[in-house]
Amino acid sequence: MGNCCSNDGPVGIGGGGAVSFHDGGFGGGAADAVEHFLRSRGVPFSQIELSLSAANLLDQDVFSKSDPMAVIFAKRRDGTLEEIGRSEVILNSLNPSWITKITVNYQFEVTQPLVFQVYDVDSQFHNVPEKMLKLEEQQFLGEAQCLLSEVVTRPTGLLTLNLDHREQQGPHPKKFGTLTVHAEECVGSKTMVEMVFRCVDLENKDLFSKSDPFLLISKITESGVAIPVCKTEVRKNDLNPLWKPMVMNLQQIGSKENPLNIECFNFNSNGKHDLIGKVVKSLAQLESLHHSQCGENLFFPTGVGHDHHNKVLTSQIYVEKFTESKQQTFLDYIAGGFEMNFMVAVDFTASNGNPRLPDSLHYIDPTGRPNAYQRAILEVGDVLQFYDSDKRFPAWGFGARPIDGPVSHCFNLNGSTYQPEVEGIQGIMSAYISALYNVSLAGPTLFGPVINTAASIASRSFTSGRQKYFVLLIVTDGVITDLQETKDALVKASDLPLSILIVGVGGADFKEMEILDADKGERLESSTGRVASRDIVQFVPLRDVQRMYMHPTFRILCSKWFFSIWRDVGGSITSR
């Protein structure tokens, strides 16, 4: 059931079985999804099925075209590659669409680099199972890389990458084709549809025996491209086949009204399968066919262009079973258009030390090694940037004196008077370094003004109906001196789509910071006696963690983000 295809019969070589990988760092209604999520380690992760296709591959064979196979690797932090799955081999094709789905665990709080390699499998190995093939014995056709979050955050779930070659040299790089990655959430965490098909009176395509039919279901994108979704097993020597149950999820299709190509092929071992006939039906129409117990005539497309027409066949297809079940998941919110907007506030108080001296927390190492502030920004920003479509991030400083001005407790990091946004994570880093040379470190440490500014942006977005959730990162080296004002600001902001991560750098005593982090169950209370509607703060001392996102409290913060999305703005997803 974890596979969206019946996997008994092969397509090309190998078949359509799903390949899963669960280790090595990759890991109802909306309320049910949140409850399940909060019980599962506090980390929003989902199983993602990756489908691959390629175009314009190199032709490495002399008397035929290449026989390509795709391999997916996880790239570790030390640069090593760990294989997580392989496709089947497609015979004699430079534009393959592989059926095998490769499953990975998507984790929101981790950057997950993927490497895709394509090989031409030599004919002498065509009878060897894909998992047993030695890659060094095959011809290398090209390689591409991306982050998993780059794919899952695309509105279409599609990302096309250029294939490169390891040994490519010279001023005029050779083209090695493209690889398209399609990401979909696995069955079990989405709406699931189970169907059983049968056909009657199929045309015989074989000379000395009956046809060996199988069904291939593809969804049709808005651009008219057909993407394979599911296939049945091959029924040998059978003109009236009844196939095993086929399971798919609705996210793979888009909606019950989207058209599906349902094609019946006669299987051939050379990979050139004969089309017996087809129908184009949506899931809603297939459900109606099931309830009516009527068959639908297959047709055979003939002609091209303006001369195109369909020859209606006597063969019919029946839907023997159609069942549907529904659940909601974390990625529903992202797929539904919700974004996360990253905001940063940096502590420029004098306790950080002179930025020009190596013992300062703000020291910019000429070797390029990031300081504690840069580390914190990169760690969080690298995760969140792909969930913001325009990648324009508000960035502020506090506790410094701009040139010829008074101490400011919330100034735009880019030096602009009116516009706090910068372009991308590197824009934040550049603005931070520039600010170090244009302000004088001062004090005291006040959080209230920055939190109120961030809350004002979140409030305007929320009241205008935008589907955004805001995450403010505050990086600081000291204990705040406006504790009550900060509590007041946090209580007021607790009704907004906003979460705050405070990262403490340096060796200061951060005990007071834990007061703002209500993990022990005591909600913050304002000076007027109002209690926060929820806990929106997580404090993490950077010195306690080697990689911040691996810290348990950072994972707890992720659960708070998800819970807050559901509570404050996510309810609309169930009403759409």
Side-chain angles (χ1 to χ4, degrees), residues 3-19 49 86-88 98-102 130 229-233:
N3 180 15
C4 69
C5 305
S6 298
N7 57 8
D8 291 21
V11 170
I13 298 177
V19 182
E49 280 185 339
R86 300 183 181 189
S87 72
E88 76 277 15
W98 291 284
I99 292 295
T100 301
K101 310 294 190 279
I102 298 175
E130 289 87 351
V229 174
C230 295
K231 74 174 182 67
T232 66
E233 77 280 11

Side-chain angles (χ1 to χ4, degrees), residues 78 103 250 313 318 326 328 341 357 419 453 461 468 471:
D78 60 2
T103 303
L250 191 58
L313 307 176
Y318 288 82
K326 296 182 178 180
Q328 296 286 351
N341 197 175
L357 300 178
Q419 178 55 263
T453 301
S461 175
K468 278 203 169 188
V471 180

Side-chain angles (χ1 to χ4, degrees), residues 131-329:
K131 292 182 180 180
M132 302 301 293
L133 292 174
K134 295 180 179 180
L135 297 182
E136 62 271 16
E137 295 178 345
Q138 318 306 323
Q139 288 185 293
F140 182 72
L141 296 181
E143 178 180 282
Q145 301 185 36
C146 73
L147 296 177
L148 181 57
S149 53
E150 290 183 83
V151 187
V152 300
T153 55
R154 291 293 180 103
T156 60
L158 287 167
L159 180 64
T160 299
L161 306 165
N162 289 323
L163 288 169
D164 298 317
H165 204 281
R166 303 165 182 156
E167 301 174 357
Q168 181 175 215
Q169 295 178 350
H172 303 291
K174 188 177 181 180
K175 294 184 178 180
F176 296 91
T178 60
L179 180 80
T180 298
V181 186
H182 186 227
E184 294 176 320
E185 199 165 3
C186 286
V187 174
S189 57
K190 294 291 301 175
T191 298
M192 294 185 294
V193 175
E194 181 177 349
M195 294 178 289
V196 173
F197 291 96
R198 71 178 175 94
C199 283
V200 296
D201 298 327
L202 291 178
E203 181 181 351
N204 191 10
K205 293 286 186 178
D206 290 342
L207 184 61
F208 300 108
S209 64
K210 297 177 182 178
S211 295
D212 303 323
F214 68 92
L215 294 181
L216 176 65
I217 297 182
S218 303
K219 69 178 180 181
I220 305 172
T221 65
E222 292 182 0
S223 60
V225 177
I227 298 177
V229 174
C230 295
K231 74 174 182 67
T232 66
E233 77 280 11
V234 175
R235 302 296 297 179
K236 294 288 187 180
N237 200 33
D238 194 344
L239 299 182
N240 298 282
L242 173 66
W243 288 282
K244 294 180 180 179
M246 176 183 293
V247 179
M248 66 181 73
N249 60 44
L250 191 58
Q251 185 183 9
Q252 292 174 289
I253 308 303
S255 80
K256 292 182 69 173
E257 281 67 43
N258 286 357
L260 299 173
N261 270 338
I262 305 174
E263 298 170 299
C264 185
F265 287 95
N266 176 43
F267 175 78
N268 285 313
S269 58
N270 63 5
K272 297 180 179 180
H273 311 302
D274 304 312
L275 178 65
I276 298 175
K278 63 181 289 187
V279 294
V280 179
K281 295 288 181 182
S282 67
L283 280 179
Q285 291 170 323
L286 292 174
E287 186 176 19
S288 297
L289 276 180
H290 168 66
H291 291 313
S292 68
Q293 291 297 298
C294 294
E296 180 77 11
N297 287 84
L298 301 180
F299 66 84
F300 192 91
T302 59
V304 294
H306 295 293
D307 296 327
H308 172 79
H309 66 277
N310 296 324
K311 177 185 177 182
V312 179
L313 307 176
T314 58
S315 307
Q316 288 190 317
I317 186 169
Y318 288 82
V319 183
E320 292 291 295
K321 179 181 180 181
F322 188 104
T323 59
E324 180 180 337
S325 59
K326 296 182 178 180
Q327 288 181 325
Q328 296 286 351
T329 68

Side-chain angles (χ1 to χ4, degrees), residues 496-509:
L496 298 172
L498 173 68
S499 285
I500 300 172
L501 173 62
I502 303 174
V503 176
V505 298
D509 184 355

